[in-house]
Amino acid sequence: MTTKPKVAFIGLGAMGMGMALHLLDDGFVVSGYDVNPKALQILEEKGGIAASSPRNCATDASFLVCMVANAAQTEEVLFTVSTGAVFGLPSNATVILCSTVPPSFPGKVLVKFHVDLARPDVQLVDCPVSGGTVRAAQGKLTILCSGTSEALVAAGPVLDSMAETKYEIDGGLGSANKVKLVNQHLAGIHIAAAAEAMGLVASLGLSTKAFHDTVLGSTATSWMFENRVPHMLADDWTPHSALAIFVKDMGIVTTEGLVQGVPLWVASSAEQLYLLGAQMGYDREDDAGVVRVFLPKSPSLVYSAARAATSPDDPRTFELIRCLLEIVHTVAAIEALALGDSLGLSTRDLVRIISNAAGASEAFKRASSRIMAGDSTSGPNISETRCMLTDVALLAKKLRYPLHLAATALNLYDLALVRGLGSQGVDFHGRDSGKSPWIRT
Ligand SMILES: *[C@@H]1O[C@H](CO)[C@@H](O)[C@H](O)[C@H]1NC(C)=O
Ligand SMILES: *[C@@H]1O[C@H](CO)[C@@H](O)[C@H](O)[C@H]1NC(C)=O
């Protein structure tokens, strides 16, 4: 077997370890660094090299993969005086930033390498990854990547080894994180929306399992609904993906909204739910556990209501709550596309990538194809949809059940009515009319 070049891998968490071991299996020489000695031991047992510092890890490596939790940790492992990876990195190495970070961050890292530390030889790509621990270990991740074409070519062998699907995003360094940000915007809202709907069904004493089955395959479903609601039904908070990650990622999303001047009504509302969940002590558990924010007095209610008896009246209520989910997803889709637009991303590219990613939903597919077709009249109009939301709001009020995302959506529909968009269909982002809640008039 021919030996492939050396890869320095920093950040051997659940996903990072899988990626590093896969690179080893694929014939790369892998040296690893992590603050957790146990992780280093595992890497060493599998044939990797355990390094004593990021600097030591990067020595003689052609590639440096950085898979730490966030931007602050990335800076720390790269640039800490004397132990930082940059001080071990040989000439012409390629640095691959895999963490989800604010889109402006990779550019700052590049300036640090090229200007502050006088290392113009270093190539840099940003490439947020997704797919979870199992796919990480199989080299079947989805990777978004951006950088100069030279840097992307240089990083190619490592990215191709780790990825099943690789999207090169135009627009230069940071663009991949812009797409990731829009995906996280949707994914984060979809989990929170699923939680709000499931909590409401449970609070009504209806069968949460039956409701779940009603939503699957309908226009109200989402990738996250299908993936996370089973955790809620099982009352299983094993952290397949920790709630803390969405505290971080929704924070990146809403900060970017503030920077861009794009009001993110729905994302901000979802962010509050994750913050509440973290305050309640759920941050290290699965993100689906955010459902307990809606049910503080009976956090297992979605599970216990799974076996509730069904009654002939259920279909009407189910349909109402299913519509609520679809409406929230639709508003989220429009908000996400408005955010993507302000970041300079093409709607067509976003749709192509996100329709196959964790941010996917049926509503996103429908809303985006209508928006791209310039169709603002088909489907239920804004007045009609607002009536439906009002019915749900009244239902929840009777139970004293707290609605967050639905309440935000209702406010948006009211705003759209005030702006005279009542007869319009789903596309009330009204780019042309300038009356969109996402455009400052
Ligand atoms: C780095 O790349 C430059 C430009 O391609 C080349 O001239 C130089 O020899 C390389 N340095 C090393 C140490 O490989
Ligand atoms: C919205 O649609 C409903 C049902 O098609 C219709 O009765 C109503 O007049 C419409 N409202 C507006 C403001 O266009």
Side-chain angles (χ1 to χ4, degrees):
M1 193 169 86
T2 57
T3 309
K4 293 183 184 171
K6 180 168 168 184
V7 179
F9 203 106
I10 301 182
L12 301 167
M15 247 170 111
M17 179 64 84
M19 292 157 75
L21 294 182
H22 173 76
L23 288 168
L24 258 181
D25 276 349
D26 204 16
F28 289 94
V29 176
V30 177
S31 73
Y33 177 75
D34 196 279
V35 285
N36 175 10
K38 198 136 199 178
L40 289 178
Q41 197 186 331
I42 294 171
L43 180 72
E44 204 162 28
E45 280 162 11
K46 307 270 180 176
I49 305 158
S52 57
S53 69
R55 176 183 191 153
N56 176 257
C57 183
T59 306
D60 299 330
S62 310
F63 302 96
L64 169 66
V65 180
C66 202
M67 183 62 197
V68 294
N70 53 37
Q73 287 184 11
T74 303
E75 276 201 279
E76 189 182 328
V77 299
L78 290 177
F79 302 122
T80 296
V81 172
S82 84
T83 56
V86 64
F87 302 106
L89 210 58
S91 289
N92 298 349
T94 301
V95 176
I96 299 172
L97 301 183
C98 291
S99 314
T100 297
V101 293
S104 60
F105 177 74
K108 292 178 189 161
V109 171
L110 190 73
V111 168
K112 213 143 191 173
F113 275 122
H114 285 189
V115 182
D116 302 353
L117 294 160
R119 288 295 306 271
D121 58 297
V122 172
Q123 304 272 12
L124 183 69
V125 295
D126 69 311
C127 48
V129 301
S130 55
T133 53
V134 174
R135 298 177 79 82
Q138 297 169 331
K140 288 190 174 170
L141 291 171
T142 296
I143 296 186
L144 306 167
C145 53
S146 56
T148 62
S149 50
E150 201 187 351
L152 287 168
V153 169
V158 171
L159 297 182
D160 291 337
S161 174
M162 300 190 300
E164 177 175 67
T165 311
K166 182 176 85 171
Y167 294 105
E168 291 189 3
I169 312 298
D170 294 339
L173 196 64
S175 301
N177 268 290
K178 291 180 182 175
V179 174
K180 175 76 175 192
L181 179 133
V182 176
N183 183 70
Q184 293 307 87
H185 168 284
L186 289 163
I189 290 172
H190 295 165
I191 297 170
E196 182 167 287
M198 293 307 289
L200 178 56
V201 171
S203 298
L204 285 161
L206 303 175
S207 164
T208 46
K209 173 74 171 67
F211 179 72
H212 163 259
D213 297 347
T214 303
V215 170
L216 288 196
S218 84
T219 48
T221 198
S222 69
W223 194 99
M224 280 299 187
F225 186 92
E226 294 182 15
N227 194 274
R228 300 302 206 267
V229 172
H231 306 174
M232 299 179 197
L233 290 169
D235 211 25
D236 177 4
W237 313 125
T238 310
H240 300 288
S241 183
L243 189 145
I245 293 176
F246 269 111
V247 172
K248 174 187 80 113
D249 286 2
M250 287 317 263
I252 294 176
V253 169
T254 53
T255 301
E256 197 62 23
L258 293 173
V259 171
Q260 300 289 332
V262 183
L264 299 179
W265 315 84
V266 196
S268 304
S269 183
E271 181 187 23
Q272 304 312 312
L273 292 168
Y274 290 112
L275 289 170
L276 272 172
Q279 291 254 327
M280 291 167 80
Y282 304 141
D283 48 334
R284 289 172 183 276
E285 297 180 337
D286 196 71
D287 52 24
V290 73
V291 69
R292 291 170 292 178
V293 168
F294 292 94
L295 306 164
K297 287 185 183 156
S298 41
S300 298
L301 198 59
V302 172
Y303 165 73
S304 47
R307 289 167 311 256
T310 48
S311 91
D313 292 339
D314 296 353
R316 221 200 118 256
T317 312
F318 276 9
E319 182 54 17
L320 204 56
I321 302 173
R322 200 194 62 78
C323 285
L324 161 73
L325 206 47
E326 183 173 339
I327 293 166
V328 169
H329 289 176
T330 301
V331 179
I334 298 165
E335 182 171 284
L337 293 172
L339 176 62
D341 200 39
S342 79
L343 290 168
L345 299 170
S346 105
T347 300
R348 198 162 294 281
D349 282 351
L350 280 178
V351 170
R352 181 173 62 92
I353 296 167
I354 291 176
S355 297
N356 298 306
S361 74
E362 279 306 307
F364 178 75
K365 282 183 201 162
R366 284 161 180 251
S368 58
S369 65
R370 283 183 190 165
I371 287 170
M372 286 192 291
D375 168 9
S376 61
T377 52
S378 69
N381 61 38
I382 283 176
S383 306
E384 247 181 314
T385 309
R386 184 186 170 280
C387 282
M388 185 95 72
L389 279 172
T390 305
D391 287 348
V392 181
L394 292 171
L395 186 69
K397 231 176 256 306
K398 263 192 226 157
L399 293 172
R400 306 196 166 213
Y401 180 82
L403 291 174
H404 292 256
L405 301 182
T408 303
L410 189 52
N411 286 336
L412 274 165
Y413 276 86
D414 281 335
L415 182 57
L417 282 182
V418 168
R419 290 189 176 179
L421 299 172
S423 61
Q424 284 209 11
V426 55
D427 176 18
F428 66 81
H429 88 315
R431 229 180 282 198
D432 301 332
S433 65
K435 288 179 178 174
S436 158
W438 287 277
I439 293 171
R440 292 172 189 279
T441 52

